[in-house]
Amino acid sequence: MRKRLSLKCCLFGIGIPLTLWMTLNLVSWDMKLSADWNQPQRLTLRARKTLLLRSKVKAQAEEKGAPRQCEEIPEVINKALVKHYNTSVLHSLGIVSGPEDQIARDEGYQNFAFNALVSDKIGFHRAVPDTRYPKCQDVTFPAINLDTSIIVCFFNEQPSALLRLVHSIIDRTPQELVKEIILVDDSSTLDDLSCQIENYVNQHFNNVRLVRTPERQGLIRARVFGANLASGQVLVFLDSHCEVNTDWLEPLLLRISHDPTTVVVPVIDIINHDTMEYQQSPLVRGGFNWGLHFSWDRLPDNEKNDPDLGSKPILSPTMAGGLFAMKRDYFHHLGEYDLGMDIWGGENLEISFRIWMCGGKLEIIPCSRVGHIFRKRRPYGNPKGRDTFLKNSLRVANVWMDKYKEYFLKQRPQAQVVDYGDISDRISLRKHLSCKSFKWYLDHVYPELSLPGDVKPSNKSSHHQPMKSKDKRKKPVIVRHGRIKHVSTNLCAQSEKEIYTKKALVTLARCNDESLSGQKAQLWFETEKNQLMLAQLLCLDIETGSVGKSYARLMKCHGLGGSQGWLWIKKNGASLLYNPVSGKCLTATATKVGGYLSLDLCTGAKEQAFTMS
Ligand code: LR7
Ligand code: MN
């Protein structure tokens, strides 16, 4: 890494008249660097210079260049959602109404792992529900004399998601608090999209800068690249698929102005990747396990029972990684990030350990809320196909965890053979900053973490997104029940097997007489969560992951909406059963007894007309 960077740097300079200019700048940056912050050690400094140098050259080139050639991105504003957040409008946006929609949707899932069709239809502005606890609302903030550089790195991000983030910041943040927004395009390979974003940004904003890394850096180095261009007093990092909520920035800045060595994190609300619904996250805090996987943990009892819960900062052993704010000089003083980390993973625990062990603290600020699209998978790979999370975690373990790294190595034995590169810089950083031991961190910051073999009750959620409160497991609330009748044939929906057989497909059958004992087989219960439960046992679900036609079938109810969510919508005068996750409607494949029910484009054709009675 060291060699590669300096070699590239030299090649870059040779033979071009920029050399002299570059040298001069290097000297002046050097001075600026040592004056501005306590540079930790030499190599990081050199690497930092290289990054700086490249970004500056690149930025200059871009300023002069003509706009790149690509189709213009239409400025979409969905009026229905600008002022009022409305889930039924959102649901209707997901309806796939033809092959074009289908392509947009499929490509979107493939490239971004969320529903790009809905994202595009929402447009660049929308209201989101105010998810703060009442105590946070209606407060007047004292004057804040800090400004921010908001840094958003992205690799192949979906344009409307990214631009909605930028607009949400502009729409919901006092102007004087935002010095600049720096979008770092980490050498996206979907050229058309990154070109569209660039042109839109240049045409529509004046305090938003778009810069591009000279080659794919991964999110860790891309953030440092952005930070080195920033001039605000506070750096705010955000993932590129977020939307900020009302008054999100003030509480973060107030906390930092109180204590400049506090690193603050908003509560990360959930934007559903299928429907783009914005949902409140419960109050949890960041932890990890010995495999160095981040976890959301329940709050310790003293925090949970605090009367100011919901408005008071919560100390957090770790952060999720993507959304946080800290003083710019403190970011540099603390050693930015480990530039030896690639693409994705591990940097969140690294910075968390470093903050706590080297004299700072990490807090979640519940009055600040930012939504993030939680996806089921990461849509991008990395250039060399290596497991960067494992490599990065090894660096964390070897630099920060002292003898406790053995627990990690036991948990992830594959790590034994992975080359994690040179960590001497980071070790000297730790010395230079006189950081405390990992044992101190465990004792004082995260005593709840049990050592392998200990039997302590688990405080962890297994999910990647903040765990839901327990009401998920409560009994479903029934809103009505009846037979699902296919209108044109007067046939009823039922299981092709016994009512309790999982995975059974759903077919049309002659409707049972309501007085007969067999009626249970055709009795559906609609719940508050839009489930359709047959005989209150299994839920109407869709086959996912299959290519081609997707059939309706019966599965164990999970209560999470998704593939088990069904909404009644009207089309051409008919009432249809719409499944927002697939964007499609329940359809009889054959309008006769034994015809299976599948999912198809919502056309309102007679195959799709159902009633419940
Ligand atoms: O090579 C890359 N270059 C980039 O610029 C790869 C990614 N990126 C960008 C990417 O476009 C995105 O904006 O970096 C950002 C983060 O990448 P994601 O969205 O793929 O990450 P994630 O949300 O799956 O993962 C979480 O953990 C990561 C560990 O490296 C980062 O810290 C992410 O920022 C972090 N996200 C959050 O904390 C949001 C809440 C999720 C949780 C839990
Ligand atoms: Mn993310």
Side-chain angles (χ1 to χ4, degrees):
M1 155 88 200
R2 183 192 316 200
K3 276 205 185 113
R4 227 184 55 215
L5 274 180
S6 43
L7 187 72
K8 286 248 167 71
C9 165
C10 292
L11 285 175
F12 207 58
I14 288 171
I16 13 180
L18 280 175
T19 317
L20 182 65
W21 176 84
M22 284 161 98
T23 325
L24 282 173
N25 271 295
L26 202 74
V27 174
S28 72
W29 278 321
D30 209 1
M31 280 156 46
K32 183 164 166 275
L33 286 176
S34 33
D36 269 10
W37 58 75
N38 211 343
Q39 80 276 16
Q41 15 54 38
R42 284 195 53 219
L43 189 83
T44 307
L45 185 62
R46 194 187 322 158
R48 188 198 291 150
K49 274 189 221 154
T50 314
L51 283 163
L52 255 174
L53 197 61
R54 289 177 175 187
S55 60
K56 192 103 180 195
V57 172
K58 191 85 188 165
Q60 288 228 335
E62 268 161 15
E63 268 163 32
K64 285 187 201 123
R68 285 159 76 193
Q69 292 299 308
C70 56
E71 224 175 276
E72 202 160 290
I73 190 166
E75 187 168 5
V76 196
I77 297 175
N78 190 310
K79 292 213 176 81
L81 290 172
V82 172
K83 285 231 170 78
H84 303 286
Y85 176 84
N86 181 329
T87 34
S88 29
V89 172
L90 265 185
H91 288 146
S92 67
L93 298 184
I95 298 175
V96 179
S97 27
E100 259 177 41
D101 280 0
Q102 188 67 58
I103 292 169
R105 190 189 143 95
D106 291 348
E107 283 185 0
Y109 272 105
Q110 171 132 36
N111 289 330
F112 315 111
F114 61 81
N115 194 334
L117 177 69
V118 176
S119 177
D120 278 347
K121 288 187 180 171
I122 292 171
F124 303 158
H125 301 261
R126 73 152 162 178
V128 292
D130 187 345
T131 49
R132 296 170 301 165
Y133 285 35
K135 269 186 202 159
C136 306
Q137 300 179 13
D138 300 324
V139 290
T140 14
F141 298 105
I144 300 172
N145 47 10
L146 286 172
D147 61 11
T148 58
S149 294
I150 300 174
I151 297 170
V152 179
C153 301
F154 65 97
F155 174 73
N156 287 350
E157 188 54 272
Q158 203 253 337
S160 59
L162 176 63
L163 294 171
R164 193 163 50 252
L165 164 63
V166 177
H167 279 293
S168 79
I169 296 173
I170 292 171
D171 293 347
R172 291 196 267 269
T173 321
Q175 224 179 334
E176 67 278 9
L177 300 183
V178 184
K179 181 150 193 209
E180 58 189 353
I181 300 175
I182 300 178
L183 304 177
V184 182
D185 181 343
D186 188 11
S187 298
S188 294
T189 50
L190 298 171
D191 281 341
D192 265 1
L193 299 190
S194 79
C195 166
Q196 286 181 340
I197 293 170
E198 180 179 327
N199 290 348
Y200 184 91
V201 165
N202 292 337
Q203 285 160 23
H204 290 81
F205 309 111
N206 46 32
N207 64 342
V208 185
R209 282 177 74 182
L210 191 134
V211 292
R212 192 168 301 108
T213 56
E215 63 186 50
R216 174 92 177 273
Q217 296 293 323
L219 71 94
I220 298 126
R221 289 193 292 273
R223 278 183 198 163
V224 177
F225 180 89
N228 282 332
L229 297 170
S231 59
Q233 292 154 285
V234 171
L235 300 178
V236 180
F237 294 95
L238 297 174
D239 273 13
S240 48
H241 33 257
C242 292
E243 284 167 72
V244 302
N245 208 318
T246 316
D247 299 342
W248 69 289
L249 188 57
E250 293 91 332
L252 300 177
L253 293 184
L254 281 174
R255 193 65 192 155
I256 292 177
S257 68
H258 248 93
D259 179 354
T261 62
T262 307
V263 178
V264 289
V265 182
V267 175
I268 308 174
D269 283 332
I270 300 161
I271 301 176
N272 182 292
H273 65 282
D274 289 316
T275 60
M276 297 288 130
E277 278 166 275
Y278 187 110
Q279 298 159 331
Q280 180 189 53
S281 275
L283 295 181
V284 287
R285 59 175 201 164
F288 65 92
N289 64 23
W290 290 107
L292 294 185
H293 293 100
F294 171 81
S295 62
W296 294 108
D297 293 0
R298 270 191 285 280
L299 300 183
D301 288 340
N302 62 326
E303 294 262 17
K304 228 179 354 203
N305 303 327
D306 193 313
D308 285 330
L309 177 72
S311 59
K312 203 181 110 176
I314 298 166
L315 296 175
S316 187
T318 70
M319 65 161 108
L323 293 66
F324 66 97
M326 71 195 282
K327 282 288 285 279
R328 178 165 59 93
D329 51 6
Y330 191 53
F331 176 74
H332 293 302
H333 168 79
L334 260 196
E336 303 170 345
Y337 272 119
D338 178 352
L339 295 177
M341 289 189 175
D342 300 327
I343 307 293
W344 186 97
E347 94 296 338
N348 54 332
L349 298 190
E350 194 267 345
I351 199 170
S352 306
F353 297 164
R354 186 152 45 87
I355 290 163
W356 279 113
M357 289 164 66
C358 309
K361 60 183 183 319
L362 182 57
E363 292 182 349
I364 293 168
I365 310 294
C367 288
S368 172
R369 299 234 167 206
V370 177
H372 168 261
I373 304 179
F374 285 81
R375 299 159 307 184
K376 277 204 194 119
R377 62 177 179 93
R378 231 171 300 135
Y380 50 83
N382 70 70
K384 291 183 194 126
R386 294 205 190 108
D387 182 348
T388 62
F389 180 32
L390 189 61
K391 176 197 158 172
N392 297 349
S393 302
L394 260 172
R395 292 180 70 88
V396 180
N398 282 289
V399 174
W400 297 102
M401 289 171 68
D402 307 325
K403 64 173 200 280
Y404 294 87
K405 79 170 182 209
E406 296 305 327
Y407 293 133
F408 165 70
L409 293 173
K410 263 217 183 98
Q411 283 290 314
R412 291 170 78 179
Q414 331 79 293
Q416 308 273 8
V417 292
V418 172
D419 176 11
Y420 57 86
D422 179 6
I423 53 168
S424 53
D425 286 352
R426 301 308 279 180
I427 293 196
S428 54
L429 170 75
R430 186 176 162 178
K431 276 210 195 91
H432 176 81
L433 294 174
S434 313
C435 307
K436 298 194 179 80
S437 69
F438 200 68
K439 180 172 187 329
W440 176 89
Y441 169 84
L442 291 179
D443 290 346
H444 293 88
V445 182
Y446 200 18
E448 293 79 7
L449 180 67
S450 47
L451 299 180
D454 271 11
V455 271
K456 265 195 207 167
S458 168
N459 53 354
K460 295 192 187 310
S461 141
S462 53
H463 297 286
H464 191 52
Q465 63 187 46
M467 50 191 157
K468 300 251 166 59
S469 42
K470 285 201 191 105
D471 71 326
K472 196 167 78 193
R473 267 157 270 160
K474 270 197 213 145
K475 263 196 140 187
V477 181
I478 309 289
V479 290
R480 62 173 177 155
H481 64 271
R483 293 175 297 186
I484 297 179
K485 259 192 200 156
H486 182 246
V487 178
S488 69
T489 56
N490 230 0
L491 295 173
C492 282
Q494 69 171 37
S495 171
E496 65 165 348
K497 299 199 172 131
E498 304 288 345
I499 46 176
Y500 42 76
T501 310
K502 281 186 211 150
K503 292 194 188 169
L505 298 181
V506 181
T507 60
L508 293 178
R510 241 174 273 294
C511 295
N512 293 331
D513 187 323
E514 276 171 78
S515 62
L516 290 181
S517 58
Q519 63 144 304
K520 235 169 118 182
Q522 291 179 352
L523 199 54
W524 295 85
F525 294 78
E526 194 174 313
T527 74
E528 214 178 35
K529 289 184 174 163
N530 307 114
Q531 295 152 297
L532 286 171
M533 300 171 79
L534 181 58
Q536 283 184 280
L537 291 169
L538 297 174
C539 277
L540 188 66
D541 203 326
I542 59 169
E543 284 176 315
T544 45
S546 54
V547 191
K549 227 180 202 24
S550 151
Y551 287 90
R553 60 177 179 173
L554 289 155
M555 298 296 285
K556 192 175 172 207
C557 301
H558 53 51
L560 298 171
S563 57
Q564 294 183 358
W566 298 93
L567 302 168
W568 291 94
I569 62 166
K570 288 256 183 239
K571 191 131 193 184
N572 300 339
S575 62
L576 280 52
L577 267 173
Y578 167 61
N579 174 252
V581 159
S582 59
K584 292 186 177 170
C585 287
L586 199 66
T587 309
T589 52
T591 44
K592 57 177 191 197
V593 170
Y596 285 112
L597 299 185
S598 69
L599 281 124
D600 235 314
L601 297 185
C602 307
T603 56
K606 71 176 195 312
E607 288 78 7
Q608 299 184 330
F610 290 92
T611 56
M612 190 166 182
S613 58

